[in-house]
Amino acid sequence: MEDNYVKVSDLRPGLTINEDVFANTSCPIIRQNSELTAEHIEILNAFDIKKVKVQEIVVIKKEESLNPNDLASIDPDDILSKIPMNQMDLVTLYREAVQKYKKEFSSWQSGIKPDVAKIRTIMIPLVDAFIGQKKFLTILNELSDIKEYMYHHSIAVGILSSAISNQMDLPSGQTIQVGISGALADCGMAKVDKSIIDKAAFLTSNEFNEVKKHTIYSYQMIQDTPLLRQEMKLAIFQHHERLDGSGYPRGEKREGISIYAQIVAVADVFHAMTSERVYREKVSPFKVIEMIREEEFGKFDIKVIQALQNLVGDLSIGTRVRLTNGDEGEVMFVHRDAQLRPMVKLSNGSIMDLTVNRSIAVERVLSDIY
């Protein structure tokens, strides 16, 4: 079929772009062989593009009929299972998990060892739900409560650890195990003096040294369970180690730190940095990924960071965002090599390219939940 230059006003979704489309940008705003969507057409209009080269693809589908007799064989539960979980269902599931974890933590403070089977029961539905609805990973910091941060943090680290593992194509069994390890990584905080845990001000050097012992306590509390693989127990012990040797408890370096520990470490740091704390406001997930890449360079495995970025930094066209300068708008184009710095159509109609305006970044996604 021949290529045609078509007026943007005559375009319709389903056509295929047959050459890269530029608009005074170093990267094309729409790439060759892209199938046009309504969002693409909006982008072309925003950039005042008059014509584009397209190849029309006509797809003729044969109508499929359904025999009424077949309806009797359809299982209603099977149909219901395919209906995606909505936002509030997911939030409710998350909040219930936090309260269940809080109850378990209280038992650990009284000297009872973690019931890994219970933690598994709490985490599996959450992991399945969030991996199935990955866009909600960006609101984990929105769900956190400053007064019950520790419980939120453990649940969120478990979810993120599983999601990162899944993104890295680890087997499903390992994905679940890493998630449980992430949720249990801070169980040793139950052995730290409660006055330190509840302290609203910055910790003294001695208090911080006591907190750093939680990785040892965590390992001691789960070392005898047969429900966690040995490499996952090691991940719990090592989740504060850093590739450059700056971590604790042993100051391990590179090959001495397991990949599972690195996954939990990235999940731990990411959620901590994005969440509101007594001494710090919450920070955008997109900004935090940049900070981890740049300010914490050399401390974390780049493959793990990239997996996290692909999960929560994959801004889609149409996403409403607030920028660090206070402006709000919609993402209208995402650069292939700079996913965290999209082009944003501001409320006043102007377009800001964050790859050019480096001093400005996406501050946060404007969620419909809140």
Side-chain angles (χ1 to χ4, degrees):
M1 186 170 291
E2 295 183 357
D3 298 329
N4 301 287
Y5 278 97
V6 177
K7 292 181 180 179
V8 171
S9 59
D10 293 333
L11 293 174
R12 65 183 186 277
L15 298 175
T16 299
I17 291 291
N18 237 33
E19 65 179 8
D20 290 341
V21 180
F22 293 85
N24 296 321
T25 56
S26 57
C27 297
I29 60 172
I30 302 178
R31 293 185 180 274
Q32 185 179 9
N33 297 324
S34 296
E35 183 176 330
L36 274 177
T37 64
E39 289 82 3
H40 285 140
I41 296 172
E42 184 179 344
I43 290 172
L44 293 170
N45 283 319
F47 279 104
D48 199 28
I49 304 296
K50 302 299 184 185
K51 293 182 179 181
V52 293
K53 195 174 185 180
V54 302
Q55 179 184 51
E56 185 172 0
I57 299 177
V58 180
V59 179
I60 301 176
K61 294 185 177 179
K62 184 178 180 180
E63 289 189 9
E64 297 179 358
S65 60
L66 179 63
N67 188 331
N69 294 327
D70 293 338
L71 294 175
S73 64
I74 297 177
D75 184 351
D77 290 336
D78 186 57
I79 295 175
L80 291 174
S81 69
K82 292 179 172 58
I83 299 175
M85 179 176 290
N86 64 45
Q87 293 175 341
M88 293 315 300
D89 285 342
L90 191 60
V91 172
T92 298
L93 181 65
Y94 168 86
R95 287 176 172 159
E96 288 175 349
V98 169
Q99 293 309 308
K100 290 176 182 176
Y101 188 92
K102 179 181 178 181
K103 184 178 179 180
E104 293 301 305
F105 191 88
S106 295
S107 71
W108 305 336
Q109 287 180 310
S110 66
I112 298 174
K113 287 190 175 183
D115 185 337
V116 178
K118 273 191 179 180
I119 299 301
R120 179 183 175 88
T121 301
I122 293 171
M123 292 306 302
I124 287 180
L126 272 179
V127 167
D128 289 343
F130 274 90
I131 287 179
Q133 301 281 340
K134 293 180 181 179
K135 63 181 179 180
F136 295 124
L137 291 168
T138 62
I139 67 164
L140 279 172
N141 67 324
E142 300 285 345
L143 300 177
S144 186
D145 181 343
I146 192 171
K147 294 180 180 178
E148 297 190 327
Y149 169 77
M150 184 181 302
Y151 319 120
H152 283 271
H153 182 64
S154 293
I155 290 296
V157 170
I159 293 169
L160 288 164
S161 296
S162 278
I164 293 170
S165 300
N166 179 262
Q167 185 69 29
M168 294 175 68
D169 293 324
L170 295 185
S172 59
Q174 291 182 24
T175 294
I176 293 297
Q177 284 267 307
V178 177
I180 295 170
S181 300
L184 287 169
D186 284 351
C187 68
M189 291 294 288
K191 303 302 180 186
V192 175
D193 191 295
K194 195 172 185 300
S195 64
I196 296 177
I197 296 175
D198 295 338
K199 187 174 181 179
F202 284 101
L203 301 180
T204 66
S205 177
N206 288 337
E207 289 170 337
F208 185 56
N209 285 334
E210 180 60 27
V211 168
K212 287 166 71 172
K213 294 178 183 177
H214 80 275
T215 57
I216 299 172
Y217 298 149
S218 294
Y219 179 78
Q220 290 172 341
M221 291 166 66
I222 53 85
Q223 64 179 333
D224 295 330
T225 179
L227 298 180
L228 274 180
R229 300 172 187 172
Q230 188 58 40
E231 58 267 31
M232 302 304 167
K233 297 174 185 178
L234 180 62
I236 290 173
F237 181 71
Q238 292 187 330
H239 77 279
H240 277 287
E241 298 286 7
R242 300 293 179 258
L243 297 184
D244 62 358
S246 63
Y248 61 86
R250 290 184 173 175
E252 297 279 5
K253 292 185 178 181
R254 303 196 177 278
E255 291 78 11
I257 306 171
S258 81
I259 185 62
Y260 308 114
Q262 294 176 55
I263 291 171
V264 175
V266 168
D268 176 76
V269 169
F270 175 76
H271 185 258
M273 292 176 70
T274 58
S275 298
E276 182 178 9
R277 308 290 290 278
V278 172
Y279 50 85
R280 186 184 64 225
E281 294 183 353
K282 66 183 66 172
V283 182
S284 159
F286 312 99
K287 188 174 182 180
V288 166
I289 293 175
E290 280 195 328
M291 292 167 67
I292 292 174
R293 277 186 172 276
E294 297 169 8
E295 297 176 19
E296 304 294 319
F297 181 77
K299 294 186 177 182
F300 303 101
D301 190 305
I302 191 64
K303 297 189 297 298
V304 179
I305 297 174
Q306 187 60 50
L308 175 66
Q309 178 173 318
N310 291 342
L311 278 170
V312 303
D314 188 15
L315 286 163
S316 58
I317 293 172
T319 301
R320 295 186 301 117
V321 296
R322 177 178 299 151
L323 305 182
T324 52
N325 67 349
D327 286 343
E328 295 182 3
E330 286 189 2
V331 173
M332 60 177 299
F333 179 72
V334 180
H335 298 281
R336 178 180 293 180
D337 301 322
Q339 296 175 354
L340 304 176
R341 294 192 161 273
M343 290 183 181
V344 179
K345 184 177 181 180
L346 304 179
S347 301
N348 62 11
S350 64
I351 297 167
M352 181 175 293
D353 186 348
L354 299 184
T355 61
V356 176
N357 296 277
R358 300 292 300 182
S359 62
I360 300 173
V362 174
E363 177 67 31
R364 63 180 296 181
V365 167
L366 299 177
S367 172
D368 292 330
I369 295 179
Y370 298 96

